[in-house]
DNA sequence: CGGAGGTGCTTGCTTTTGCAAGCGCGCTTG
DNA sequence: CAAGCGCGCTTGCAAAAGCAAGCACCTCCG
């Protein structure tokens, strides 16, 4: 019963998220499979929550979908697994402050001259994921 | 020839790093195996660069060694693979600007009331990894 | 209506991951 | 000296990951 093991519900949620992102990007399953290098039957299984993809596969999908790998890792419980696990436990602390955009961290990330835009996006998504999980289900 | 595939050299480096951390923590191989939940023969193979561990295993090791999983993920090429690959080129610019601690991002992370200490550490390490790697180009 | 093309999925297989059982070695103790 | 213990490692195996081949279905076009 560790936070390292993704339950079937979490797997299904990860898969649904990936499908969501794919549809937002207006890719068919085969198209995303081709762009990402993951086989289409396996991608189908992932999206349906039947298989647990490795971090390598998540990285490939993230690249193809032009989202940060960290976003998928958080969803897969590979980053901040405890928070992820806590979130799964139905933590009721919903009231994450919306004004997250006003916090110093986001402003500082945006203003940082040493990061590329890509790095800023990755860091922002990680930060928002951390913020969101602390306050979400 | 993508950055997603860990070459044998990188695997050996990852393993050496894990062994280094283990020795710093003054664990024997069997002790770390026991604490982390990874079998001792498998840990031996990982440290010798013979096997490529999954993110789950890296997470278990990171927890047992009390380092952030992100640190191992970067080393394993699972985070910021491009920069990680660049780092492998043996760039000697280790001395990333120390004054990074003065930048708004680190200060903002430290001051952020919504993140747990653990989350702050994770975000800091990611940021510093990004900073350090950006400096390599 | 039939054919072509695209879709998502099923199945059986290969490769990879991760471990249990056990090995050889060196050190300590009686 | 022999036994016991801890060490790191080898080997063979089971489970899981990931894919190729092929299926059924749907839509569109001639």
């Amino acid at each position: 019963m560790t936070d390292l093991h993704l339950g079937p519900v979490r797997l299904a949620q990860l898969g649904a998220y990936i499908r969501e992102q794919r549809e937002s990007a207006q890719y068919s399953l085969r198209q995303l499979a081709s762009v990402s290098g993951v086989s289409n039957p396996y991608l189908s299984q992932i999206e349906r929550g039947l298989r647990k993809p490795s971090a390598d596969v998540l990285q490939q999908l993230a690249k193809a979908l032009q989202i940060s790998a960290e976003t998928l890792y958080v969803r897969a419980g590979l980053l901040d697994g405890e928070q992820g696990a806590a979130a799964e436990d139905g933590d009721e602390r919903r009231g994450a402050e919306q004004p997250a955009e006003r916090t110093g961290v986001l402003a500082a990330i945006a203003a940082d001259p040493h990061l590329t835009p890509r790095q800023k996006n990755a860091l922002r998504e990680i930060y928002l994921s951390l913020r969101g999980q602390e306050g979400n289900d």
Side-chain angles (χ1 to χ4, degrees), chain A:
Chain A
M1 196 157 310
T2 76
D3 52 359
L4 294 174
H5 290 89
L6 229 51
V9 172
R10 286 294 301 272
L11 264 187
Q13 285 173 339
L14 172 65
Y17 180 75
I18 291 171
R19 188 175 289 237
E20 225 178 87
Q21 295 301 303
R22 171 171 71 76
E23 290 171 344
S24 288
Q26 295 194 324
Y27 277 137
S28 70
L29 191 127
R30 284 172 185 261
Q31 284 172 329
L32 177 57
S34 177
V35 170
S36 68
V38 175
S39 77
N40 86 71
Y42 190 48
L43 179 54
S44 173
Q45 288 177 315
I46 292 170
E47 288 190 353
R48 288 182 285 123
L50 300 180
R51 297 284 203 155
K52 174 177 170 158
S54 68
D56 281 343
V57 164
L58 293 177
Q59 206 179 24
Q60 285 173 263
L61 293 175
K63 191 171 190 175
L65 290 167
Q66 292 184 318
I67 61 179
S68 71
E70 292 84 347
T71 301
L72 292 182
Y73 290 170
V74 169
R75 298 264 180 169
L78 297 176
L79 279 177
D80 301 296
E82 285 180 4
Q83 287 81 358
E88 182 188 5
D89 290 342
D91 192 317
E92 313 246 33
R93 297 173 64 189
R94 298 287 190 70
E97 276 68 60
Q98 295 304 81
E101 298 184 75
R102 290 193 181 71
T103 65
V105 174
L106 291 177
I109 291 174
D112 193 293
H114 302 96
L115 297 179
T116 69
R118 177 190 172 87
Q119 287 171 326
K120 290 180 180 181
N121 280 337
L123 205 56
R124 276 188 66 242
E125 289 198 30
I126 295 170
Y127 172 73
L128 291 175
S129 290
L130 294 176
R131 283 290 310 273
Q133 284 180 348
E134 190 198 5
N136 283 343
D137 279 359

